[in-house]
């Protein structure tokens, strides 16, 4: 009955009734896709734009009584597949879809737990014959908040291996700490960014300290069983930028090695550049229909990757 009701709701619901998509991805067949939550988490829907047409379908794995939240949609360019990852009633799960519209069975990356999971981030990297799905999120709440990381390796031969655990377990040295505490209600910094062909940079903070730890994670093949495990290499500490009048929960990060961009979307878009030693002064853009937050974030990511972002004399004063 739930499947029938959802299908009817989707057919009758205009596109504007859905929440704003979190990501859009383009496939080689020309379809522009987004993954969205239906209603209050009853299911996830895949919205595909092809020319003037819009096609909306429920993700099969989300039929049921479980609550769905925090969806992310990625694209595997090598296999020309969509990769979905989301919070399935407390479990972190994934499913992939090919160009023919076939979804794989839901794969549980991290089993459900009794504590809340928040701020899921995900990205893809690859090496010869293997695509890696990386994910980070916060487990717990209050003083028990901890960052988790997961790695799923999809082999071209159909093999799949997965690993999940605390990000802190991947840090070779001591976790960054400072004598100055952060605001009690501040959500710690958390970011995940590709770093080269197969590695990722992870930045994770603390509820009680201003500093965050930066670690580069690289998948390594273990033995002959095609089991991939993450290996971390610490890259130092980053202090949270001081953002007056801004909730720490609204701050997003872009990371590329030792360089970081912190940005705050809004009517006025503000961003700060960390060059490995200090934060720049605030830089701003006034957003409009012609210049959106997505446009600015895309350009900041490009500039960060090509090292076009520089400190200015005013930043060091």
């Amino acid at each position: 009955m739930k499947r029938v009701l959802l299908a009817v709701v989707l057919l009758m619901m205009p596109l504007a009734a859905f929440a704003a998509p979190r990501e859009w991805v383009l496939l080689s067949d020309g379809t522009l896709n987004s993954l969205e939550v239906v209603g209050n988490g009853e299911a996830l829907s895949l919205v595909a734009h092809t020319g003037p047409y819009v096609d909306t379908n429920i993700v099969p794995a989300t039929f049921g009584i479980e609550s769905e939240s925090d969806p992310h949609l990625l694209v595997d360019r090598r296999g020309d597949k969509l990769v979905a990852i989301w919070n399935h009633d407390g479990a972190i799960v994934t499913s992939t879809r090919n160009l023919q519209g076939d979804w794989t069975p839901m794969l549980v990356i991290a089993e459900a737990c009794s504590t809340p999971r928040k701020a899921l981030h995900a990205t893809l990297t690859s090496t010869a014959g293997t695509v890696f799905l990386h994910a980070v999120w916060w487990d717990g709440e209050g003083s028990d908040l901890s960052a988790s990381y997961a790695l799923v390796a999809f082999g071209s031969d159909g093999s799949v291996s997965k690993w999940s655990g605390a990000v802190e377990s991947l840090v070779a040295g001591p976790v960054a700490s400072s004598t100055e505490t952060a605001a009690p209600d501040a959500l710690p910094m958390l970011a995940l960014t590709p770093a080269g062909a197969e590695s990722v940079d992870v930045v994770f903070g603390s509820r009680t300290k201003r500093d965050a730890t930066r670690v580069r994670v690289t998948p390594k093949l273990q033995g002959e069983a095609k089991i991939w495990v993450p290996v971390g290499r610490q890259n130092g500490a980053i202090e949270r930028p001081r953002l007056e009048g801004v909730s720490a929960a609204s701050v997003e990060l872009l990371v590329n090695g030792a360089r970081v961009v912190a940005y705050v979307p809004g009517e006025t878009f503000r961003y700060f550049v960390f060059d490995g030693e200090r934060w720049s002064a605030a830089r701003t853009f006034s957003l409009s229909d012609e210049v959106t937050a997505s446009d600015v974030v895309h350009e900041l990511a490009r500039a960060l990757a090509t090292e076009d972002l520089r400190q200015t004399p005013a930043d060091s004063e």
Side-chain angles (χ1 to χ4, degrees), residues 264-270 283-287:
V264 185
E267 291 185 8
T268 299
F269 186 104
R270 285 189 280 172
R283 303 168 186 181
T284 62
F285 288 101
S286 294
L287 301 180

Side-chain angles (χ1 to χ4, degrees), residues 69-149:
S69 62
D70 213 357
H72 295 265
L73 190 63
L74 308 166
V75 58
D76 170 11
R77 299 292 179 192
R78 291 189 175 190
D80 214 10
K81 298 177 181 178
L82 292 174
V83 179
I85 179 172
W86 70 97
N87 186 321
H88 177 73
D89 219 17
I92 305 300
V93 301
T94 185
S95 180
T96 64
R97 179 183 183 272
N98 60 24
L99 286 178
Q100 290 71 46
D102 303 317
W103 287 91
T104 60
M106 183 177 67
L107 173 68
V108 177
I109 300 172
E111 297 286 349
C113 59
S114 59
T115 57
R117 282 183 163 148
K118 309 172 184 176
L120 176 65
H121 295 62
T123 192
L124 294 176
T125 63
S126 62
T127 189
T130 305
V131 173
F132 303 109
L133 171 60
H134 308 261
V136 293
W137 64 89
W138 288 115
D139 274 322
E141 55 188 345
S143 59
D144 294 328
L145 200 66
S146 63
S148 292
Y149 166 86

Side-chain angles (χ1 to χ4, degrees), residues 32-75:
L32 191 62
N33 304 270
S34 69
L35 194 62
E36 301 171 349
V37 176
V38 175
N40 294 317
E42 289 87 356
L44 297 181
S45 67
L46 179 71
V47 180
H49 289 249
T50 306
Y53 304 104
V54 179
D55 188 27
T56 303
N57 291 284
I58 294 294
V59 177
T62 64
F63 282 119
I65 62 173
E66 295 83 1
S67 176
E68 318 296 345
S69 62
D70 213 357
H72 295 265
L73 190 63
L74 308 166
V75 58

Side-chain angles (χ1 to χ4, degrees), residues 90-301:
I92 305 300
V93 301
T94 185
S95 180
T96 64
R97 179 183 183 272
N98 60 24
L99 286 178
Q100 290 71 46
D102 303 317
W103 287 91
T104 60
M106 183 177 67
L107 173 68
V108 177
I109 300 172
E111 297 286 349
C113 59
S114 59
T115 57
R117 282 183 163 148
K118 309 172 184 176
L120 176 65
H121 295 62
T123 192
L124 294 176
T125 63
S126 62
T127 189
T130 305
V131 173
F132 303 109
L133 171 60
H134 308 261
V136 293
W137 64 89
W138 288 115
D139 274 322
E141 55 188 345
S143 59
D144 294 328
L145 200 66
S146 63
S148 292
Y149 166 86
L151 171 69
V152 183
F154 299 97
S156 58
D157 59 357
S159 61
V160 177
S161 73
K162 60 181 182 175
W163 183 99
S164 64
V167 178
E168 197 167 317
S169 68
L170 302 175
V171 179
V175 175
S177 63
S178 62
T179 57
E180 183 179 0
T181 60
D185 61 344
L187 187 68
M189 291 190 286
L190 183 65
L192 174 70
T193 306
E198 57 193 60
S199 302
V200 291
D201 284 331
V202 178
V203 172
F204 67 103
S206 163
R207 174 77 74 177
T208 58
K209 302 294 183 181
R210 288 194 60 90
D211 283 0
T213 301
R214 180 176 55 241
V215 58
R216 176 158 295 182
V217 181
T218 302
K220 297 294 184 184
L221 192 58
Q222 190 176 63
E224 299 180 358
K226 294 187 178 179
I227 296 175
W228 292 86
V229 297
V231 176
R233 186 186 71 196
Q234 192 168 354
N235 288 339
I238 301 173
E239 183 183 3
R240 180 193 297 275
R242 289 170 169 78
L243 307 173
E244 295 182 5
V246 175
S247 166
S250 64
V251 179
E252 299 287 343
L253 299 179
L254 297 171
V255 184
N256 189 336
R259 303 170 70 245
V260 181
V261 171
Y263 64 93
V264 185
E267 291 185 8
T268 299
F269 186 104
R270 285 189 280 172
Y271 75 96
F272 306 76
V273 181
F274 184 80
D275 65 357
E277 296 181 0
R278 66 184 185 279
W279 288 100
S280 70
R283 303 168 186 181
T284 62
F285 288 101
S286 294
L287 301 180
S288 65
D289 291 341
E290 289 74 27
V291 181
T292 67
S294 295
D295 295 332
V296 178
V297 171
H298 182 272
E299 180 59 20
L300 285 174

